[in-house]
Each structure stands twice: as C-alpha cells, then as structure tokens.
C-alpha cells in the first residue's frame, strides 16, 4: 500500500488538481491513501484573516470572501453542474461556520491558539473534501476521511504532539474496514483527545503522510511537490542545482532542517523507524525520477550531497570570564531559552567555556536577549558575564553528506572557497557525526555563498566568472565579440563559464542577472538606463556575485578613481586604462594593497604593450629573485606606426590621422604624440620593478612644437600639425642622412626614466621594428649583456582586447 502526499502547489487550482487525479488514476485499483494540503496560499490567507479579525479590522471580510471565491471557483471548474449541488452546499456550510468563528474573534478582539488552530484547519478540511468529490465524479473509487478523527494529539495548539498509540490504532482500524481504493485525507490537521482541532505545525501535511505510512507499514511514501526531488541546492538561487537521485534519511533530515523546504523536517522520523522509503516527486513532471530517500547506501559515493541554508537567523552569545570553570552555566542558559519557548537552530561553544553562541530565529532575538539578561542579571552586574546582544539578519549555510566524516579537508575547502569571495563567517558548527558543516554568514551573502560552494563541490570544477564591463568602444566591442566566440571553448577546455552581467558606455548602462545576450548587446544597451558610475558600482555591489570582475575598457580618469571601491568589495579589476597605475604612487600602492587584502586580483597587463606579456614577464622576473638593471623600450604602437609610415612622400598630419582612424591612438592623439602615454608606460614598468617613482620624475623630451602641445581640441591639434609640416620633414631628413630610423624610446636606469624621439642606427634591436609593434629590452642581473626581449604587436583594438581577455582567464585560473 502506498501513501501519496500532494502539497499546496500541487492542489493550488482546478488544473493542478486534475494532474493529481491523473497520477492517482494511473495507480490502478491498488489501495492508496492520499494526503492533501490546503489549496495553495489558503493557509496564509486564513492566518491573515484571523489576525485582522482579532485586531478588529473589518478588512478580514474581504480576505474571507477571497477564500470563499477560490473554493467555489475550484468546485465549478472541477465538478459538472449536475453534481455540484451537494458539494457547494457542504462547502458553503463549512464556510459559514468559519465566518462565525472569525466574527467571534472580531467581537472579543483577540484570538487564542485554540481558536487559531480551529480556523486554520479549514484549509485542509475543504480541499480534501472537494478533491475527494472530484475523484468520485471522475470514476475513482474514493472515500473522504476526516484526519481529525484519526490523528490524536495533545493540546499544544499550533504544533501538537502526536499520540502514536491512539493514532496508529485509529488509522489501522479505519484502513482495514475501508473497502475503497483511494482514501483522501487532509494533511496538517488533527485533534486532541477531547475533540478540539489541533495542527501539526507548518509543513505538517508531510508529517501527516509519514504518520499514516508508519501506521499501515506502507511500501513507500511519495511526497508530490513542484520540483523533481531534493536538489543539491535551492534551484531558485542556484540555477545549476541538480536533483539528488538517492539520499539517506539522515542526509535528508539535515538538508530539510537547514532549509530544504521540499520536505518538512519531522516527516522522516515516523518512516525511518520502519525503513519505509520516501520518494520526492514532481506533480508537473511525473515521469521525472525524483529523489529516493532510504537508509544510507551512499557507500563511497559523493562526500557532499547537498548545500542548504536557513535565512533570518540571529546570533546570541553568552560570554565572560565568569563562565570559565563554572558548572551549570550552559544548563541555565538553555533552560531560560526553553522556558521562553525559543528554539535554538545552531550551537557553538568555545573549548575554553568562555562563550556559548547560539543561532535562533530573528523574530525571537529581542525576547531572547531580554530573558537571558534577566536570568544572568547578578553575573552581569558583577562583570562576570557581558550583557547579551543579538546580531540579526544572518543566515546559516550547511554542507551535508554522510561520507563527509571520512574525507579530510572539507571544512578547509568550504571556508577557503567562501573566503576567496569575501563571504565573512560569523560562527561555525560541526556535529560529532560530521554529517554537516554549518556556518553563519550575512543574509545578503547567501546567494553568493550558495553559488560559490555549489560550483566548488558539484559543478565539475566549472568556474563561473561574472563580468561588469565599462566601455564598449573599439576595444570593448572587440572584447565582447571575443567572449562570444570563445564561450564554448572556455567552458569545455578551461572549465570557465564567462557571463557579462552588466555593461555601460558613456550614455547608457544595462544589467541582466542571467547574463546579457552578447549576440545583440548593442541593441540592448541602446535601450538601457542613463549611465551613472556610482549607480553602476552600487548595482554590482548589491548583486554580490561570486567571482565578480570589473572590466575598464575606457581611458577615463573618473572611471579609474572607482577601482578602490570595487577592490574593497572583493571585486577584481581588469583594465587597459593606464591612469590608475600611473597616478600618484600612494594611490597605485593602495590599489595593489587592496587587491591583496581583499583577495581581488588587480590586473593591468594591457597598460603596457597591449596583448604582449610584458608586465607578466616582469613580475615573474622579480618574483623569482632577479633584479632589473635597465629597461629600454619602444612602447607606443601608435608612435611606431606613425614613424614607420611617415616619409617625404606623406604628410605627418595624414599619417597621424590614419593612426587615429585605425584605432592605434587614443581618441585624443595628443596623449600619444606628446609622450604622456609612453611616460605612463615606463612609469608602470619602473614601479612593477620595485621602484618608487611618480610621473613628474620622468624626463620628457617632446618632439612636437609647443603650439601643438598647447591645443585643447583635436581640430586645432591637427591644424598645428599641418602648420609645422616642414619641421617634421626636417626630422625625417636628418634620420635618412644618418641611415637611421625615427623611434620614440623610453628608458629606465639607475632610478631615472626618460622618453623621447631618437634616431636609431642600423643593427640596433629597435631598427627593424615594423608597423605598430612594441619592443622591450630587460637588462637584469641574469641578463646583463644580452637582454630579455619581448616584441610584437603593441597597439590595436584586437590585441588590446585579447590582453584583457587573457587577464580575465588568469583570474579564472587563480
């Protein structure tokens, strides 16, 4: 014999109830007991109605009307007109009684636990009756059983304790005498021995089904809900969560205790004693396998079976020097809480006995503080114990698995994974069974924590990176295209899942929590909200995603000044914007320190040489103990492009214009041609070599006329280039006469740096540098005579974008 329980979503409306009927019809003539919840949402409406009535708020009548309408509509949609009369009459009669009870609460202006149980029981009473009548009309041999006549409890209204001796006798006697194929009962409701209606606590319909299964020694208990089993994590928060095929009773209890709402925690106990299997099934996908819950058969399978959480937790700590070595403190502490009716969710105690920390429901926090401080008033006044305070708005996350005890390092793996994403742990607890490891964190970090842990323990090491991209011009657009084209490769080969969650240009910005569709990002961005740098940061912070990376593809100083805010919130920064790393040394150093402190990489490989591994190579040299003696470099791809294409048959103006149009220069080409860009680059290399240097310490030998340097816009700048064409031709002529080429060279040696245009003779490493290529010569203690040379394309949107992409992959591999 089977027992099937259908929850509120499964019987929320006529359409869903018809699905339940199909499931029952498929079982054939085998005797089956069906336990149903109230129509979805009705229990909450009944509680709200009772609260309003007791507050003498007449709007309770409006909600009562809504309750009535829901039930009457369900009857009319399920049962043919010729069979409705009896059902409507019975339901209206019950609703009239309910109305009388509520009127009583309204008149006396209060509601007792006893009256509350009576009122709230109508949800299951009405749903079970309506469904049974519908089954009969549909030709299923059905009888309706009143759960209050079968399940007997004490008079602890709201969460009554079952009298199993009486209950088991009642159920077995009823079932033995019943000749119908299907028995339908309302879950959640019962009655005291004197006949008063009682309830088994929220979620009690599961418990009702387990009680019945225990009494009749059912072959299986099926819990039908709106998901296909127990999941590795809450699928509403962790989209990659998977249904668990098979799990032990103990694992299921741990998961349900820590928030897995698919199963009410007390449900398991009645069936566990008799070894009755539980199957969690999906009403809306009945062919899905679901989750089988039995005795532990996990063997040497997965260590962590699921990750669960409980929100709205408060921490209360009892601590003080007067607790050490004093017997009875813990006993008094927990007695006070028990007497006050406060349930403790988690306990952790220091080995020194200096403190006891408990997790309780947020709503009990203030009451707990009051009763504890009252109980320990004398010790507090003597300074032996500190006054108790509550830390609210927390949550508990828990790793659960029977086999965790046989695997070392799980706790460390859990805590280091959370730490890498700046999830602060307020308290830790691990039971002696080692079946769960629990940690208290901020409620706002729950989504990040669950996704981070799920990725670590369940997703075959596929790491999700969440990008927030500022700047989608030449470089930014190429970068987004590269992500789109490489997405599949990265996931399959590098186990990286890269999503762009937010993006912005100078006008608009957009966010999509599931990832922006990169196929039509331009169209989506054009419809976004107005760009606001502070609002962009606040949204990134609020989303609080794991592995968040802020990507700056701009040349904006204002954007660069936001880096410290991102790093302080453990959000990595990848940038091709040179302003931050070439700003005041103290700011540069602060950003590096923040990156270390908050475990948020700050990468800027493209600051020098676009996609060339110049900074990365330099870091490896320094980290391995080598010392940089001298750096010589051609670091401006734009200037190299200009002087490689400038000759006596072209004009300097036209070559610079071409460089700008092809994306080799900054939008303001004067930044490149004035030497400022190269100064920033050699400054960054000097700093990464371990030197303290500022931009004003670099000697700049400009080749542009002063008038060109003093222009304030591109139009005037280009006019000045035309005006001084003769001077530029003279520079070119001198180089030709000396059989040399013009190159803009940066140099650092003995703590001093300089930049300027030089005539490079044949045979020099710089002489044959073509196009927009860069070249860097590192003279070190290990390479004193023949330098380490890095050479290649050093400008252009494609190579710069690829350099940014490479930095992001580095972060993914950290």
């Amino acid at each position: 014999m089977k027992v099937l329980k259908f929850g509120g979503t499964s019987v929320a409306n006529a359409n869903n109830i018809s699905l339940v009927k199909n499931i029952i019809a498929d079982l054939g003539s085998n005797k089956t007991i069906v336990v149903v919840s109230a129509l979805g949402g009705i229990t909450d409406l009944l509680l709200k109605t009772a609260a309003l009535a007791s507050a003498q708020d007449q709007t309770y009548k409006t909600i009562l009307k809504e309750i009535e309408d829901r039930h009457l509509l369900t009857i009319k949609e399920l049962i043919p007109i010729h069979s409705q009369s009896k059902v409507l009459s019975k339901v209206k009669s019950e609703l009239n009684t309910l109305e009388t009870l509520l009127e009583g609460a309204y008149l006396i202006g209060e509601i007792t636990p006893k009256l509350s149980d009576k009122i709230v029981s109508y949800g299951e009473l009405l749903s079970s009756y309506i469904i049974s009548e519908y089954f009969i009309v549909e030709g299923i041999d059905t009888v309706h059983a009143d759960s209050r006549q079968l399940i007997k409890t004490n008079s602890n209204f709201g969460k009554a304790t079952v009298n199993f001796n009486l209950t088991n006798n009642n159920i077995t006697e009823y079932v033995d005498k019943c000749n119908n194929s299907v028995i339908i009962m309302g879950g959640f409701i019962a009655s005291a021995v004197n006949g008063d209606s009682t309830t088994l606590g929220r979620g009690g319909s599961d418990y009702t089904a387990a009680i019945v299964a225990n009494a009749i020694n059912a072959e299986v208990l099926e819990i039908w809900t709106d998901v296909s089993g127990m999941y590795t994590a809450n699928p509403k928060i962790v989209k990659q969560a998977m249904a668990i095929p098979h799990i032990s009773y103990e694992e299921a209890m741990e998961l349900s205790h820590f928030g897995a709402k698919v199963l009410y925690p007390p449900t398991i106990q009645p069936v566990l004693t008799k070894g009755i299997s539980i199957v969690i099934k999906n009403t809306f996908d009945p062919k899905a396998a679901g989750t089988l819950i039995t005795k532990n058969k996990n063997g040497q399978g997965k260590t962590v079976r699921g990750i669960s959480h409980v929100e709205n937790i408060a921490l209360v700590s009892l601590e003080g020097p007067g607790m050490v070595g004093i017997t009875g403190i813990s006993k008094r502490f927990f007695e006070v809480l028990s007497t006050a009716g406060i349930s403790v969710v988690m306990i952790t105690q220091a080995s020194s006995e200096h403190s006891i920390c408990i997790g309780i429901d947020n709503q009990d926090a203030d009451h707990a503080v009051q009763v504890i401080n009252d109980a320990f008033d004398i010790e507090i006044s003597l300074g032996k114990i500190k006054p108790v305070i509550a830390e609210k708005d927390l949550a508990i996350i828990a790793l659960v698995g029977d086999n965790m005890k046989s695997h070392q390092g799980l706790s460390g793996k859990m805590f280091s994974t959370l730490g890498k994403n700046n999830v602060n742990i307020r308290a830790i607890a691990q039971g002696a069974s080692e079946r769960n490891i629990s940690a208290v964190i901020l409620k706002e970090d729950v989504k990040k924590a669950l996704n981070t842990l799920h990725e670590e323990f369940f997703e075959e090491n596929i790491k999700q990176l969440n990008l927030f991209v500022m700047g989608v011009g030449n470089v930014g657009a190429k970068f987004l295209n590269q992500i789109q084209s490489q997405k599949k490769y990265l996931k399959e080969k590098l186990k990286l899942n890269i999503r762009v969650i937010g993006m912005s240009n100078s006008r608009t910005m957009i966010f999509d929590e599931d990832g922006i569709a990169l196929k039509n990002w331009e169209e989506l961005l054009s419809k976004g909200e107005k760009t606001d740098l502070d609002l962009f940061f606040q949204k990134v912070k609020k989303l609080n995603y794991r592995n968040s990376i802020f990507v700056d593809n701009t040349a904006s100083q204002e954007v660069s000044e936001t880096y410290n805010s991102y790093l302080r919130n453990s959000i990595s920064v990848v940038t091709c914007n040179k302003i931050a790393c070439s700003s005041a040394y103290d700011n540069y150093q602060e950003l590096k320190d923040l990156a270390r402190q908050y475990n948020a990489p700050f990468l800027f490989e493209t600051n020098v040489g676009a996609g060339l591994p110049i900074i990365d190579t330099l870091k490896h040299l320094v980290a391995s103990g080598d010392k940089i003696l001298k750096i010589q470099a051609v670091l401006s791809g734009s200037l190299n492009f200009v002087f490689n294409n400038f000759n006596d048959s072209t004009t300097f103006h036209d070559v610079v214009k071409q460089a700008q149009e092809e994306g080799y220069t900054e939008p303001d080409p004067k930044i490149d041609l004035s030497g400022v860009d190269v100064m920033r680059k050699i400054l960054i290399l000097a700093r990464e070599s371990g030197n303290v240097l500022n931009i004003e310490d670099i000697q700049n030998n400009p080749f542009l006329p002063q008038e060109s340097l003093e222009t304030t816009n591109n139009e005037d700048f280009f006019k000045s280039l035309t005006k001084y064409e003769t001077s530029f031709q003279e520079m070119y002529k001198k180089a030709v006469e000396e059989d040399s080429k013009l190159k803009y060279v940066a140099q650092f040696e003995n703590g001093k740096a300089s930049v300027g245009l030089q005539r490079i003779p044949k045979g020099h490493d710089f002489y044959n540098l073509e196009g927009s290529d860069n070249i860097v010569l590192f003279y070190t203690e290990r390479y004193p005579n023949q330098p380490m040379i890095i050479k290649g394309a050093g400008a252009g949107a494609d190579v710069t974008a690829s350099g940014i992409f490479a930095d992001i992959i580095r972060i993914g591999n950290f």
Side-chain angles (χ1 to χ4, degrees):
M1 192 182 302
K2 290 184 176 182
V3 176
L4 281 68
K5 177 263 175 177
F6 292 89
T9 52
S10 298
V11 295
N13 51 51
N15 182 65
N16 292 3
I17 294 171
S18 68
L19 297 177
V20 172
K21 184 263 297 181
N22 293 338
I23 292 168
I24 301 302
D26 287 343
L27 296 176
S29 59
N30 294 327
K31 183 172 276 192
T32 305
I33 299 177
V34 178
V35 177
V36 296
S37 296
L39 304 186
I42 290 295
T43 301
D44 288 333
L45 291 176
L46 285 165
L47 289 169
K48 186 176 181 181
T49 308
L52 290 170
S54 64
Q56 296 185 318
D57 184 339
Q58 290 211 12
T59 56
Y60 83 87
K61 294 180 180 179
T62 304
I63 300 175
L64 179 59
K65 182 67 167 56
E66 182 183 344
I67 293 170
E68 179 180 355
D69 291 345
R70 281 275 307 277
H71 287 92
L72 297 182
L73 176 63
T74 302
I75 293 168
K76 290 172 183 176
E77 289 181 342
L78 284 175
I79 299 175
I81 294 176
H82 59 81
S83 302
Q84 285 180 10
S85 179
K86 182 185 89 167
V87 183
L88 288 171
S89 177
K90 170 71 173 174
V91 169
K92 285 180 179 178
S93 175
E94 296 289 357
L95 288 169
N96 286 338
T97 305
L98 173 61
E99 183 178 14
T100 302
L101 293 172
L102 289 166
E103 284 175 354
Y106 177 82
L107 290 171
I108 63 174
E110 68 172 326
I111 186 166
T112 63
K114 177 179 176 181
L115 179 55
S116 178
D117 269 9
K118 181 73 173 174
I119 290 170
V120 81
S121 69
Y122 277 86
E124 276 72 15
L125 286 174
L126 294 172
S127 67
S128 58
Y129 172 70
I130 293 168
I131 293 168
S132 67
E133 291 297 319
Y134 167 59
F135 280 15
I136 292 169
V137 169
E138 289 293 317
I140 298 173
D141 183 21
T142 305
V143 65
H144 177 240
D146 188 339
S147 301
R148 295 173 301 179
Q149 303 302 316
L150 303 179
I151 300 176
K152 294 298 178 179
T153 69
N154 64 6
S155 295
N156 182 20
F157 299 103
K159 195 172 184 181
T161 300
V162 176
N163 182 325
F164 278 97
N165 287 330
L166 279 175
T167 297
N168 288 347
N169 288 334
N170 290 342
I171 293 172
T172 53
E173 185 179 341
Y174 181 87
V175 172
D176 287 343
K177 291 180 179 178
C178 181
N179 295 318
N180 300 85
S181 297
V182 176
I183 301 170
I184 292 190
M185 302 171 55
F188 177 57
I189 55 176
S191 69
V193 175
N194 65 2
D196 290 334
S197 292
T198 58
T199 60
L200 304 177
R202 293 303 298 267
S205 291
D206 286 354
Y207 192 35
T208 300
I211 292 166
V212 174
N214 171 284
I216 65 170
N217 292 308
E219 62 181 276
V220 67
L221 166 60
E222 295 182 1
I223 306 290
W224 290 79
T225 181
D226 57 356
V227 291
S228 299
M230 296 191 83
Y231 278 68
T232 49
N234 186 336
K236 293 179 181 177
I237 298 176
V238 181
K239 288 186 168 55
Q240 294 80 19
M242 303 162 278
I244 305 169
H246 191 184
I247 194 171
S248 73
Y249 292 124
E250 292 79 9
E251 289 169 331
M253 279 194 286
E254 292 284 356
L255 286 172
S256 59
H257 176 71
F258 285 102
K261 294 181 175 59
V262 71
L263 191 66
Y264 182 54
T267 301
I268 296 168
Q269 196 60 46
V271 295
L272 183 152
T273 56
K274 293 191 175 179
I276 299 168
S277 299
I278 303 174
V279 181
I280 311 295
K281 298 279 284 180
N282 189 344
T283 306
F284 308 101
D285 186 10
K287 292 185 179 179
T291 297
L292 175 64
I293 304 172
T294 63
K295 291 180 180 179
N296 185 12
K297 294 182 180 178
N298 191 19
Q300 296 302 311
K302 279 187 173 290
T303 52
V304 179
R305 306 306 308 283
I307 308 166
S308 200
H309 78 288
V310 184
E311 294 186 3
N312 301 314
I313 294 295
L315 274 186
V316 176
S317 297
L318 185 71
E319 58 182 295
M323 293 173 60
V324 180
I326 305 299
T327 58
I329 292 286
S330 297
K331 178 177 179 291
R332 286 175 61 196
F333 182 53
F334 291 110
E335 274 184 350
V336 168
L337 295 167
S338 177
T339 303
I342 297 169
S343 179
V344 176
V345 182
M346 191 187 85
I347 306 168
T348 180
Q349 182 172 5
S351 57
S352 65
E353 299 182 8
H354 182 266
S355 70
I356 305 170
C357 181
I358 60 167
I360 60 176
D361 195 287
N362 255 352
Q363 65 184 11
D364 293 329
D366 292 338
H367 185 40
V369 168
Q370 181 183 342
V371 296
I372 295 168
N373 283 336
D374 287 347
F376 290 92
D377 181 56
I378 295 174
E379 289 87 347
I380 291 171
S381 65
L382 294 174
K384 293 183 177 181
I385 290 178
K386 297 177 183 178
V388 171
I389 57 172
E391 187 178 353
K392 299 180 182 179
D393 296 323
L394 304 173
I396 297 174
I397 52 170
L399 292 188
V400 173
D402 280 336
N403 289 339
M404 284 165 50
K405 60 187 175 185
S406 59
H407 287 75
Q408 291 76 35
L410 283 178
S411 297
K413 189 176 181 181
M414 174 184 181
F415 302 140
S416 65
T417 299
L418 294 174
K420 286 177 183 177
N421 278 274
N422 199 33
V423 176
N424 188 34
I425 297 172
R426 299 290 299 110
I428 299 166
Q430 184 167 5
S433 69
E434 299 183 24
R435 191 172 284 117
N436 88 66
I437 306 169
S438 305
V440 180
I441 63 174
L442 293 175
K443 182 180 174 182
E444 65 189 37
D445 285 335
V446 164
K447 184 175 182 180
K448 180 196 285 187
L450 289 178
N451 278 278
T452 298
L453 292 174
H454 195 273
E455 182 177 84
E456 183 67 33
F457 288 100
F458 290 101
E459 295 178 32
E460 299 181 355
N461 295 321
I462 292 180
K463 189 173 185 178
Q464 183 169 286
L465 304 180
N466 297 295
L467 309 189
F468 300 88
V469 180
M470 182 70 65
V472 289
N474 282 342
V475 172
K478 296 288 185 183
F479 169 67
L480 294 175
N481 289 339
Q482 288 176 13
I483 291 177
Q484 174 69 9
S485 63
Q486 288 297 101
K487 194 173 181 70
K488 185 177 179 182
Y489 173 86
L490 292 172
K491 198 165 186 177
E492 290 179 356
K493 304 296 183 182
L494 301 183
K495 302 299 182 185
L496 294 176
N497 179 25
I498 297 181
R499 306 188 309 168
V500 177
I501 305 298
M503 69 169 65
S504 174
N505 57 24
S506 59
R507 299 176 302 281
T508 55
M509 61 184 189
I510 55 169
F511 289 84
D512 187 329
E513 294 186 30
D514 296 323
I516 296 168
L518 297 183
K519 288 182 179 179
N520 61 330
W521 66 264
E522 290 172 286
E523 179 186 350
L524 294 171
L525 185 57
S526 68
K527 299 174 183 177
E529 61 184 304
K530 185 178 178 182
T531 294
D532 182 313
L533 290 183
D534 182 61
L535 183 59
F536 191 91
F537 165 70
Q538 293 300 333
K539 289 198 173 187
V540 176
K541 182 180 176 183
K542 185 177 180 181
L543 285 171
N544 200 22
Y545 278 146
R546 70 199 188 281
N547 306 324
S548 290
I549 305 173
F550 175 68
V551 183
D552 179 15
N553 296 318
T554 75
S556 164
Q557 178 165 333
E558 191 178 4
V559 174
S560 74
E561 290 170 354
T562 66
Y563 295 172
N564 55 3
S565 297
Y566 287 98
L567 294 171
R568 280 195 181 94
N569 285 276
S570 293
I571 298 164
S572 302
V573 174
V574 171
T575 181
C576 60
N577 185 342
K578 292 175 279 292
I579 293 175
C581 289
S582 60
S583 62
Y585 183 82
D586 289 345
N587 183 60
Y588 159 82
Q589 192 58 53
E590 181 189 21
L591 294 175
K592 302 275 283 188
D593 291 342
L594 287 172
R596 283 189 291 270
Q597 182 180 349
Y598 292 97
N599 196 36
F602 172 44
L603 300 183
F604 43 89
E605 183 65 66
T606 49
N607 276 198
V608 181
L612 294 176
I614 295 172
I615 293 176
D616 195 49
T617 302
L618 177 56
K619 284 180 178 178
H620 286 308
L621 287 171
V622 173
S624 66
D626 204 354
K627 184 178 180 181
I628 306 300
L629 303 176
K630 182 169 71 172
I631 301 172
Q632 284 185 315
V634 174
L635 295 173
S636 174
S638 14
L639 283 171
N640 202 43
F641 177 89
V642 167
F643 285 110
N644 278 333
N645 287 279
F646 175 57
N647 54 49
D648 54 7
S649 62
T650 64
T651 68
F652 196 69
H653 166 280
D654 290 348
V655 174
V656 174
K657 193 70 174 175
Q658 180 187 355
Q660 183 197 40
E661 290 171 353
E662 294 185 18
Y664 290 114
T665 72
E666 299 287 352
D668 177 3
K670 189 172 65 175
I671 294 174
D672 296 285
L673 273 68
S674 66
V676 170
D677 187 59
V678 178
M679 290 171 70
R680 288 172 176 163
K681 291 176 180 178
I682 193 64
L683 174 63
I684 292 168
L685 293 183
R687 286 175 171 178
E688 290 295 302
S689 303
N691 296 276
V692 178
L693 211 67
N694 280 306
I695 195 82
E696 54 268 22
D697 299 323
I698 300 173
Q699 181 182 340
N700 184 0
N701 303 307
F703 67 89
L704 286 178
Q706 191 63 30
E707 183 180 334
S708 300
L709 292 171
E710 291 175 354
T711 56
T712 57
N713 57 68
N714 284 355
E715 184 180 355
D716 290 343
F717 176 71
F718 279 108
K719 284 180 181 177
S720 73
L721 296 185
T722 302
K723 180 178 179 180
Y724 289 96
E725 178 63 27
T726 304
S727 300
F728 298 131
Q729 287 294 339
E730 186 63 30
M731 286 191 304
Y732 173 76
K733 182 180 178 182
K734 286 183 180 179
V736 171
E737 288 173 352
E738 294 178 12
D739 202 13
S740 300
K741 290 185 179 180
L742 294 171
K743 303 291 178 185
Y744 199 86
V745 178
Q747 182 164 313
F748 176 77
E749 187 176 12
N750 297 324
K752 295 182 179 180
S754 63
V755 298
L757 192 64
Q758 295 182 16
R759 293 188 289 275
I760 303 298
K762 276 186 178 180
H764 194 284
D765 290 309
F766 295 169
Y767 184 83
N768 290 316
L769 198 63
E770 300 295 332
S772 61
D773 286 0
N774 280 193
I775 186 169
V776 178
L777 312 181
F778 286 126
Y779 292 87
T780 74
E781 288 183 343
R782 294 176 190 156
Y783 302 92
N785 300 315
Q786 294 298 321
M788 177 179 283
I789 301 175
I790 301 171
K791 178 182 176 182
D798 274 321
V799 291
T800 304
S802 68
I804 293 167
F805 206 162
D807 273 348
I808 286 165
I809 292 171
R810 282 191 188 94
I811 291 175
N813 291 329
F814 278 173

